[in-house]
Amino acid sequence: MYRLFTHNDLDGVTCGILFRLTFGEKADIRYNSVSGLNFQVEKYFERMNERMKKEDHLYITDLSVNHEVTEKINLFVGEGGTAKLIDHHKTALHFNNYSWGDVKVEDESGTLTSAASLVYEYLKSNGHLAGNRALEEFVELVRQYDTWEWDIHQNFKAKNLNDLFFMLSIEEFEDRMIARLQTDTEFDFDEFERKLLEMEDGKIERYIRRKKREIIQIEHEGIYGGVVHAESYHSELGNELGKENPHLDYIAILNLGGKKISFRTIHDHTDVSAIAGKFGGGGHAKASGCTINGEAYKRYVEEVFPLEPVKPDAFKNSYNLKESKNGCIYENRERDMFLIYTDGSRYFIKEESNERQGPFEKFEEAERFLKRKHGAALAKDDVYIRYLENIVFNGQE
């Protein structure tokens, strides 16, 4: 029997689909959350008998086990058992120190991997599974979504696949995909699925628009994050909030019902797997997560609760525009005003007290400083006009 313990997201479930396509009824698959894996694998070892020791092939994909379970797997393999852990997360690289560990963040060409892409290549290279066009495209769509390359390439088919996954039960998604992936034709959605996806796109857009108004800025040890509570669409939400607030180093998305935090970043200078690791979690450099323990609760719930949401930039201005050669006005929630202006080559910030900050080589650097230190946002046109009127009537320079 092929015993697979894998993640319950699109990448992990695709590993399960690949095992079902390969081993059929000989595949026993358990889908797990990050926090539930160790318990399930420990239960498996408790149930293990002599026949299972001889006949079972143990696989863990897209997830990592703790030290205690690692030792049990190592003992199992040392006594002649067969086990394999296949993963693509940076925080799992230490499993390559074991004979049964196979962790690759990227392949030989430098392309980021997913658990599904690694499992697919493993099954093919060992002669267990023959590929076809539909299967190749399906696995690549999963890889692009999981590594967020779809956003770079604007491959919305990959995003739609993940949307569909969350709209269906795991069982229904498996059944639909398995039937489709056994033909050597292009992978595509059927008419019913396209209708579902069309409705879902509008729902996601409305959800993200609402959450943009709820994000709260925090700072810890010089790293700035944005905190928002959300139960759905974490990847899409993290990406959009990161783009909307580029001055923030990362986005923390809290699901209090599930007692989890998802960390996302659009920046290369921030590794959110390191942030998640401080609370016992892990994952990718740009997408990670953890369970809400006592320390995480204090930082992301207790300390955040009294704070006001990030003040949004005015978006219908005609006069107070970013990077204007005449300068632009920013305002924080305390109604303090700040002028970003240029001398033609560099940018400066002038406060109402006439204190000046700078120089900054780029406008984005000045704005980033202002948003991080003062929580200011681009002011509306009427604030800008009143500021100019004060200069005229008071004879200010």
Side-chain angles (χ1 to χ4, degrees):
M1 186 66 72
Y2 293 86
R3 314 276 185 181
L4 173 65
F5 296 86
T6 187
H7 200 190
N8 55 6
D9 67 354
L10 175 64
D11 192 28
V13 171
T14 299
C15 295
I17 290 172
L18 291 170
F19 265 66
R20 291 203 189 282
L21 286 169
T22 304
F23 302 114
E25 294 182 357
K26 292 184 178 180
D28 176 33
I29 300 168
R30 305 293 174 91
Y31 296 112
N32 302 269
S33 65
V34 173
S35 59
L37 174 68
N38 293 308
F39 175 79
Q40 292 297 332
V41 179
E42 285 179 346
K43 286 295 183 183
Y44 165 73
F45 279 117
E46 288 176 9
R47 297 192 305 269
M48 182 172 286
N49 54 38
E50 290 302 317
R51 181 184 60 79
M52 292 169 66
K53 283 184 180 180
K54 293 179 181 178
E55 298 179 2
D56 275 8
H57 297 257
L58 171 62
Y59 287 89
I60 298 170
T61 59
D62 203 32
L63 289 170
S64 297
V65 292
N66 63 21
H67 176 72
E68 290 74 20
V69 176
T70 298
E71 291 303 311
K72 289 181 179 181
I73 296 174
N74 213 32
L75 179 62
F76 171 63
V77 173
E79 293 177 345
T82 301
K84 195 79 172 175
L85 184 146
I86 301 175
D87 197 12
H88 65 124
H89 296 102
K90 179 181 176 182
T91 49
L93 284 170
H94 62 280
F95 286 104
N96 286 332
N97 296 325
Y98 299 93
S99 62
W100 43 269
D102 185 5
V103 182
K104 293 180 182 178
V105 177
E106 56 183 41
D107 64 19
E108 291 74 14
S109 65
T111 301
L112 292 174
T113 63
S114 71
S117 67
L118 292 172
V119 167
Y120 183 53
E121 292 303 321
Y122 170 80
L123 293 173
K124 284 202 307 179
S125 63
N126 283 275
H128 298 306
L129 178 65
N132 60 51
R133 280 195 296 169
L135 199 50
E136 291 278 350
E137 184 179 1
F138 178 73
V139 171
E140 175 59 14
L141 290 173
V142 172
R143 187 198 69 80
Q144 285 197 28
Y145 183 81
D146 202 68
T147 61
W148 214 251
E149 281 188 20
W150 77 265
D151 190 50
I152 299 172
H153 304 303
Q154 293 294 284
N155 186 355
F156 290 97
K157 194 172 182 179
K159 177 188 176 298
N160 287 338
L161 180 61
N162 187 70
D163 292 342
L164 181 65
F165 169 76
F166 278 104
M167 295 172 72
L168 304 174
S169 68
I170 289 179
E171 292 75 16
E172 185 177 0
F173 183 80
E174 276 186 327
D175 290 344
R176 283 179 168 271
M177 296 303 110
I178 287 173
R180 198 166 312 173
L181 296 173
Q182 298 184 69
T183 60
D184 193 26
T185 58
E186 181 182 355
F187 175 82
D188 207 351
F189 304 110
D190 63 27
E191 185 177 353
F192 171 73
E193 292 164 352
R194 283 193 287 269
K195 290 286 187 183
L196 283 178
L197 291 167
E198 185 178 337
M199 292 187 292
E200 186 73 356
D201 283 343
K203 183 179 176 182
I204 293 172
E205 185 178 342
R206 292 190 296 273
Y207 188 81
I208 290 175
R209 188 162 57 242
R210 185 170 77 251
K211 291 300 173 181
K212 284 180 178 180
R213 301 193 294 267
E214 300 176 4
I215 186 170
I216 295 172
Q217 178 174 306
I218 64 169
E219 180 272 334
H220 183 76
E221 296 180 348
I223 299 175
Y224 287 77
V227 181
V228 68
H229 290 251
E231 294 182 351
S232 308
Y233 313 122
H234 285 188
S235 292
E236 292 88 345
L237 186 60
N239 191 51
E240 287 300 316
L241 291 178
K243 290 178 178 178
E244 186 87 0
N245 302 276
H247 69 287
L248 298 175
D249 297 310
Y250 70 96
I251 306 297
I253 306 170
L254 277 66
N255 181 350
L256 292 182
K259 297 183 179 179
K260 297 177 183 178
I261 305 178
S262 296
F263 297 97
R264 299 290 188 271
T265 185
I266 63 170
H267 301 293
D268 293 333
H269 68 262
T270 302
D271 182 351
V272 291
S273 68
I275 296 173
K278 293 179 180 179
F279 308 104
H284 297 294
K286 293 191 175 184
S288 294
C290 71
T291 300
I292 301 178
N293 58 21
E295 187 180 356
Y297 180 87
K298 181 178 180 181
R299 183 178 302 179
Y300 293 105
V301 181
E302 186 178 322
E303 295 178 1
V304 170
F305 185 77
L307 305 178
E308 292 288 333
V310 170
K311 184 176 173 61
D313 288 329
F315 63 93
K316 291 185 178 180
N317 284 355
S318 298
Y319 305 107
N320 190 34
L321 304 174
K322 295 185 179 186
E323 298 190 67
S324 170
K325 64 179 182 180
N326 296 318
C328 53
I329 294 295
Y330 281 68
E331 185 181 44
N332 62 16
R333 290 197 176 275
E334 289 74 38
R335 300 292 181 86
D336 300 320
M337 287 192 292
F338 308 85
L339 173 68
I340 299 182
Y341 67 96
T342 179
D343 64 1
S345 61
R346 298 173 300 174
Y347 289 87
F348 299 86
I349 299 172
K350 181 181 178 183
E351 301 182 19
E352 287 186 277
S353 63
N354 284 327
E355 182 178 349
R356 190 171 78 162
Q357 301 287 345
F360 301 94
E361 295 301 317
K362 298 179 180 179
F363 173 84
E364 291 80 9
E365 294 176 7
E367 183 186 49
R368 181 173 182 268
F369 174 87
L370 195 52
K371 285 179 174 287
R372 287 162 75 105
K373 184 175 181 181
H374 298 286
L378 186 71
K380 294 181 179 179
D381 275 346
D382 60 336
V383 175
Y384 179 68
I385 291 170
R386 286 199 303 272
Y387 178 86
L388 294 179
E389 288 174 344
N390 286 334
I391 292 177
V392 173
F393 290 122
N394 296 328
Q396 296 179 6
E397 296 182 0

